[in-house]
Amino acid sequence: EAGVAQSPRYKIIEKRQSVAFWCNPISGHATLYWYQQILGQGPKLLIQFQNNGVVDDSQLPKDRFSAERLKGVDSTLKIQPAKLEDSAVYLCASSLEGPGQGYTEAFFGQGTRLTVV
Amino acid sequence: RKEVEQDPGPFNVPEGATVAFNCTYSNSASQSFFWYRQDCRKEPKLLMSVYSSGNEDGRFTAQLNRASQYISLLIRDSKLSDSATYLCVVTSWGKLQFGAGTQVVVTP
């Protein structure tokens, strides 16, 4: 079974530039998560989709971050403009069901390591 | 107070020894509990679910104490390959919440 695919693996940008990350979840997984993991910390949920609807985006800095999941499959996460503190690994995960529907295991992609200079 | 708290460690463990650590959670209505493992510069992967009655998977034992709102992980007969960060995960109100992780370093 193919896992969660993310691209790019690494990205270096200057502050105030824009960047976009892409995620392709495991086929058939209804729930998709974007997490931000800063070095030495646990993953922090940015946004959670159930099919193509947003379930939770309470921790997404909406003045600069946006995410979409068109057709309930692939998802993109965008940062515009980037700040130095956005340097982190951005992890995409998917699960068959979300935490509110009889949660099943979340599978993670390898992540995108973003460095803002 | 953070919703999920863990001792960051590191826990330095001689090979073959036993190590145990806890994770506390603040929401008494939390529903499900898990331990994930994260190797250095890798993505988190599910280690085991934590059931109310406690459960064991080989050398790993997980316990849940709802009254005191914590879960625990015990690793017996530690192997060098057990060196990793162990993330506590709690589901609350439809959210999947991660702790900051406990680092375990197994030494020869």
Side-chain angles (χ1 to χ4, degrees):
Chain A
E1 177 181 84
V4 177
Q6 288 189 248
S7 68
R9 288 292 311 278
Y10 305 93
K11 191 75 178 177
I12 301 174
I13 62 172
E14 295 183 350
K15 59 184 179 184
R16 291 187 289 274
Q17 285 188 323
S18 302
V19 65
F21 313 127
W22 173 81
C23 172
N24 186 9
I26 293 173
S27 177
H29 279 196
T31 304
L32 184 147
Y33 316 80
W34 281 104
Y35 283 88
Q36 178 194 59
Q37 188 171 26
I38 293 171
L39 188 65
Q41 299 181 20
K44 170 189 162 186
L45 180 68
L46 293 175
I47 189 166
Q48 178 181 330
F49 293 95
Q50 181 73 16
N51 296 307
N52 61 346
V54 175
V55 172
D56 182 3
D57 63 357
S58 57
Q59 297 190 90
L60 186 74
K62 298 180 187 61
D63 58 333
R64 299 185 300 106
F65 285 65
S66 64
E68 60 182 9
R69 189 183 185 195
L70 299 176
K71 301 180 183 177
V73 183
D74 292 10
S75 177
T76 55
L77 176 69
K78 295 180 181 177
I79 308 175
Q80 180 180 15
K83 293 185 176 182
L84 296 176
E85 59 260 37
D86 297 333
S87 294
V89 176
Y90 290 84
L91 294 162
C92 178
S94 70
S95 63
L96 201 56
E97 296 290 348
Q101 296 91 26
Y103 168 72
T104 57
E105 177 184 354
F107 294 84
F108 284 81
Q110 291 183 302
T112 296
R113 188 173 298 275
L114 174 68
T115 302
V116 182
V117 298
Chain B
R1 182 184 172 189
K2 292 182 182 176
E3 296 201 38
V4 183
E5 294 205 62
Q6 296 184 250
D7 181 341
F11 284 67
N12 294 298
V13 186
E15 196 174 4
T18 296
V19 61
F21 41 89
N22 295 338
C23 161
T24 59
Y25 59 94
S26 60
N27 186 350
S28 59
S30 296
Q31 298 148 314
S32 305
F33 308 87
F34 308 88
W35 285 104
Y36 274 68
R37 171 192 169 129
Q38 187 171 28
D39 293 305
C40 188
R41 303 178 81 86
K42 299 285 189 180
E43 72 275 21
K45 292 185 179 178
L46 179 67
L47 177 67
M48 59 195 301
S49 302
V50 186
Y51 303 123
S52 297
S53 55
N55 49 300
E56 194 173 299
D57 183 0
R59 298 180 293 105
F60 296 83
T61 301
Q63 298 276 358
L64 166 63
N65 186 318
R66 282 195 182 271
S68 300
Q69 294 184 207
Y70 74 87
I71 65 172
S72 64
L73 182 66
L74 181 145
I75 308 174
R76 284 186 305 277
D77 188 21
S78 298
K79 311 290 184 192
L80 296 175
S81 56
D82 295 334
S83 296
T85 296
Y86 292 85
L87 298 164
C88 170
V89 182
V90 175
T91 66
S92 305
W93 309 118
K95 290 185 187 181
L96 195 61
Q97 305 270 30
F98 281 78
T102 295
Q103 186 183 7
V104 172
V105 179
V106 182
T107 56

